[in-house]
Amino acid sequence: MPAARVAPVGDAEPSAETEQGTDAASATGVAPPTRGFLAKATLVTAVLSIAGALLGLGRDQALAHLFGAGTETDAFLVAWTVPEVAATLLIEDGMAFVLVPAFSLAVARRARGTTTGTDPVRALVASTLPRLALAFVAVAALLMAGAPYLVAALAPGLPDPGLAVDCTRLTATCVLSFGLAGYCSAALRAHRRFLAPAAIYVAYNTGIITAMFVLGGRWGVRSAAVGVALGGCLMVAAQAPSLARQLFGRHRSAPETETAAAQGGPAPLDGPEVGKATKIPEVTEVAEATDDPVPSVKHSVELALIAPVLMFALCRQSQVLIERFLASTLPSGAISHLNYAQKVAQIPMTLSLMLCTVTFPVLAQALAEGDTERARTRVERDVAVASCMVLLGAAAVFACAPQIINLLFQRGAFTAQDTAATATVMRVYSVGLLGHTLVGALVRTYFSAGRPTWYPLAAMAAGIVATSWIGAGTVDAWGVRGIAAANAIGITVTAALLLSGMGERRSVPIRTRRVMHELSKPVRAAVCAAVAGAFCASRVDSPELALAVGGLTVTVVYVLLLRVLGVKAVAPAFRTALRSVTRRLPHVRFR
């Protein structure tokens, strides 16, 4: 399942390899993005993701302020399971692992002009979008009809199942809107358009917040479910104009490319013109001799490849289902405490994976071309940078959890007791953040090669079993803390299995011992920083000042220990990101 080849993110200085690749790129009609482009794309994605995360916090704050942490919010959060699962399957992981490489191949074939009279990208859309949309509509209708049974299965001890059923029927509409939004995101990223896909959660959370404040007085917590339906539509609307330009705008043909190459200049491509040589996989060359304009692309989205990807994403999301199932037997508010704690704790993990999201095509193309060394370097670098970033966030979350929850949520119907319970759960969650990040970074390597693999699903299933057994065994004694601990242990088990299973037969043969040794350094630094930060924050009465003192202590201790331990993974990435925003990058567009 080949993707458009891209260069690694690192120092953005031109290399001999880059210079030598210009002529080859002209010959093939596909120019890979420069390292600076990837750095800028990562920065744009991160900034908009932060904006979306902040609005997500605002959404949770509004939910807590308007409805507190009780029976109503528990009912809505059971219904919230539907958009959470849909986002994982249709936007964040799942379909993205299949559609991004497929669209990348179609874009490459369009640039080469290997078909006559048929645009490969439009042909791919025509062959896949109607069937996918029909499937999304069918699933949404099934969820609406079966909402009572779904609620009974997810939360059998819920005090007000009727309210949860109403909210579930409203949120079920997101299956269609999220499916279309994920489809648009995959197509735009393959066209090297990152602004609109990165902005979808800004639009989504804006819709939910608006609906809660406008309709909350009349419809209660059902207004949040209406907001989910509205926000899903806004996600599609935010991307539709940009995708329409890519599908129906003017695209340069093969003769133009050949003319530019013959004149000794770079091909007139839509994107960076300097990069490594691009080699279109053999499956494309075979396709040229057939009558089907996109046979290779259709092959890329066949069921044998989609099934393990979707099953993995669904299995991973089932952690949330297990948590809510177990928490439904606890006193009212338990599901809400878990939700608020998880949403805040996830922010460092989400930000740490931004680099992996942008470099996904790098890995896919390296594996498609058999460049094992480049793929290994990319994976090891991404794991190192992402781990350093998430461990800093985990240390800060652990050290300042009471202050963070106090400042974010303790107002209106959200009491001091809710703050204490949520902060305790969030500290437990922080222990598993490294595992979540490693799973997100490593699973891409298994699905980038374009061949079916069930190992990630087996690893995730082992983690789910651990989560279930530990959660069931500790929920009576430890309550929500036992559920959160089960989550942290289960995802860590999955991360360990994915890391140990890295090999040429399944994925990328990384140097596992070396990676583990390097990971141990920021882990030790994060533990020390978390303890120091928690101690300093506990000595200050004011929540605002305590958060500032604790956060500063964590940052200083962590950075100093990284230097002492010899961790050098983060500095090159920061230097590249800084250059990307201080130096003009020609031929790069983010519309």
Side-chain angles (χ1 to χ4, degrees):
M1 191 168 54
R5 182 175 180 178
V6 288
V9 175
D11 294 338
E13 300 301 326
S15 63
E17 199 176 15
T18 297
E19 295 170 358
Q20 293 169 0
T22 304
D23 293 338
S26 299
T28 60
V30 181
T34 62
R35 298 171 185 175
F37 177 93
L38 290 177
K40 189 173 183 180
T42 303
L43 184 62
V44 168
T45 303
V47 168
L48 285 172
S49 295
I50 292 172
L54 291 176
L55 280 172
L57 284 177
R59 174 202 68 210
D60 292 338
Q61 286 177 311
L63 186 67
H65 177 74
L66 294 172
F67 310 112
T71 301
E72 274 197 321
T73 51
D74 284 356
F76 167 72
L77 291 173
V78 171
W80 180 259
T81 303
V82 175
E84 283 184 321
V85 173
T88 300
L89 289 176
L90 304 176
I91 300 177
E92 297 165 5
D93 295 332
M95 293 301 294
F97 290 139
V98 177
L99 291 176
V100 169
F103 270 107
S104 296
L105 175 58
V107 170
R109 295 192 63 214
R110 168 195 274 173
R112 291 186 67 190
T114 56
T115 59
T116 57
T118 302
D119 185 332
V121 178
R122 295 181 194 173
L124 173 60
V125 172
S127 66
T128 57
L129 183 57
R131 289 181 291 176
L132 288 174
L134 184 61
F136 298 149
V137 171
V139 173
L142 184 62
L143 288 173
M144 290 180 184
Y149 306 102
L150 180 62
V151 169
L154 291 177
L158 202 64
D160 189 358
L163 179 58
V165 168
D166 291 343
C167 292
T168 299
R169 284 175 172 154
L170 289 167
T171 59
T173 59
C174 74
V175 174
L176 175 60
S177 59
F178 280 23
L180 296 177
Y183 193 94
C184 294
S185 295
L188 288 171
R189 287 192 174 106
H191 284 87
R192 302 174 191 170
R193 299 295 181 265
F194 296 95
L195 180 60
I200 58 175
Y201 285 108
V202 173
Y204 176 59
N205 288 319
T206 299
I208 297 176
I209 293 171
T210 301
M212 281 195 293
F213 278 104
V214 173
L215 303 174
R218 180 185 305 174
W219 290 4
V221 79
R222 290 180 180 85
S223 62
V226 173
V228 171
L230 173 63
C233 296
L234 293 177
M235 294 170 84
V236 179
Q239 300 179 95
S242 182
L243 181 59
R245 285 194 293 268
Q246 303 310 314
L247 292 178
F248 304 109
R250 180 178 178 274
H251 302 282
R252 295 176 175 84
S253 62
E256 291 176 297
T257 300
E258 293 166 1
T259 301
Q263 294 174 351
L269 296 172
D270 189 19
E273 300 179 85
V274 180
K276 296 182 181 179
T278 302
K279 180 181 183 300
I280 302 300
E282 293 179 2
V283 67
T284 305
E285 297 167 0
V286 173
E288 295 175 18
T290 68
D291 295 330
D292 189 349
V294 285
S296 57
V297 172
K298 290 180 181 177
H299 178 74
S300 296
V301 293
E302 63 184 8
L303 182 62
L305 186 58
I306 294 176
V309 173
L310 293 184
M311 290 293 290
F312 169 84
L314 184 61
C315 187
R316 183 178 182 182
Q317 192 62 33
S318 66
Q319 275 198 316
V320 177
L321 308 184
I322 293 169
E323 289 184 9
R324 288 177 183 166
F325 179 88
L326 295 173
S328 68
T329 62
L330 297 175
S332 295
I335 295 177
S336 300
H337 297 151
L338 286 167
N339 174 75
Y340 295 134
Q342 189 178 68
K343 291 297 187 295
V344 177
Q346 280 180 344
I347 294 176
M349 181 267 292
T350 301
L351 296 179
S352 68
L353 289 175
M354 288 299 100
L355 175 63
C356 299
T357 299
V358 174
T359 59
F360 177 34
V362 178
L363 185 61
Q365 187 63 23
L367 291 175
E369 296 177 355
D371 192 345
T372 303
E373 183 60 32
R374 182 158 65 97
R376 177 169 62 188
T377 300
R378 178 74 268 155
V379 172
E380 291 178 354
R381 185 179 302 174
D382 286 353
V383 167
V385 174
S387 298
C388 285
M389 292 178 64
V390 77
L391 285 169
L392 173 59
V397 166
F398 183 91
C400 305
Q403 293 79 17
I404 293 173
I405 299 300
N406 183 308
L407 293 174
L408 289 178
F409 298 114
Q410 190 172 317
R411 60 184 61 86
F414 199 90
T415 66
Q417 290 75 17
D418 292 325
T419 294
T422 304
T424 301
V425 173
M426 193 165 75
R427 277 180 163 164
V428 179
Y429 270 137
S430 69
V431 178
L433 287 180
L434 177 61
H436 281 285
T437 295
L438 289 176
V439 169
L442 294 176
V443 74
R444 288 170 168 81
T445 68
Y446 288 90
F447 294 131
S448 294
R451 56 179 180 267
T453 175
W454 294 93
Y455 182 80
L457 176 60
M460 194 68 241
I464 292 299
V465 170
T467 299
S468 304
W469 289 356
I470 296 172
T474 59
V475 66
D476 290 336
W478 294 356
V480 289
R481 292 173 297 171
I483 297 174
N487 178 299
I489 296 172
I491 199 66
T492 303
V493 168
T494 299
L497 290 174
L498 289 176
L499 190 58
S500 63
M502 300 285 285
E504 194 162 355
R505 186 170 64 89
R506 298 192 188 104
S507 179
V508 179
I510 66 171
R511 294 160 287 199
T512 305
R513 289 187 179 180
R514 177 178 175 180
V515 170
M516 291 292 292
H517 175 70
E518 290 300 317
L519 278 177
S520 69
K521 298 177 182 178
V523 168
R524 285 177 279 166
V527 170
C528 295
V531 172
F535 175 80
C536 293
S538 66
R539 293 295 183 269
V540 180
D541 293 330
S542 169
E544 295 86 352
L545 185 57
L547 178 58
V549 171
L552 180 61
T553 302
V554 167
T555 303
V556 171
V557 172
Y558 186 72
V559 172
L560 288 178
L561 287 177
L562 289 186
R563 292 184 62 87
V564 171
L565 294 171
V567 178
K568 302 177 181 179
V570 182
F574 283 152
R575 287 199 302 269
T576 301
L578 180 62
R579 276 198 294 268
S580 72
V581 296
T582 57
R583 183 174 64 186
R584 181 177 178 270
L585 296 176
H587 311 293
V588 178
R589 291 179 289 179
F590 289 90
R591 71 167 184 265

